[in-house]
Amino acid sequence: MAKSYDQLRQLGAELLAIHVECSKAGTVSALKKHNLPFPMANDERLEIVDKYSPTSTYLIDQDGVIRALWRDKVHQRVTADDVVAAVAKLVGREIPPAAEPEKKSVP
């Protein structure tokens, strides 16, 4: 999802990850370790897990209505392309081009 975050933003969407495995420090560590460009909330008290499956991906519109659900799919099982396509369809726009990966210069 990190590679497609710019596409989602171009479509007017925001990506929010929920980290349910540990403390706030663990959430900050996960953000840094994986160099994630999007916000990640910490659910250390498991308040969100009580309402939503932590292994599912939800597409929620600006009014709080769930518009798409990939149940019990996490990490690579639901592709970023699937999510970007669903957002594009929801907002009635073309899928923006993906950003070119940064090329590392060779000394």
Side-chain angles (χ1 to χ4, degrees), residues 41-106:
N42 184 46
D43 189 23
E44 148 178 18
R45 294 184 184 169
L46 304 180
E47 294 169 359
I48 296 169
V49 173
D50 286 343
K51 295 178 176 70
Y52 299 96
S53 166
T55 60
S56 298
T57 299
Y58 297 84
L59 175 57
I60 303 172
D61 72 12
Q62 61 194 15
D63 297 318
V65 176
I66 297 172
R67 297 296 184 168
L69 169 61
W70 294 268
R71 187 174 300 284
D72 299 323
K73 296 189 182 287
V74 68
H75 302 300
Q76 299 305 319
R77 292 179 225 150
V78 57
T79 69
D81 290 341
D82 293 336
V83 176
V84 170
V87 171
K89 183 177 179 182
L90 179 64
V91 299
R93 292 180 49 200
E94 296 278 326
I95 297 173
E100 292 290 323
E102 290 184 27
K103 295 181 181 178
K104 295 181 180 178
S105 60
V106 179

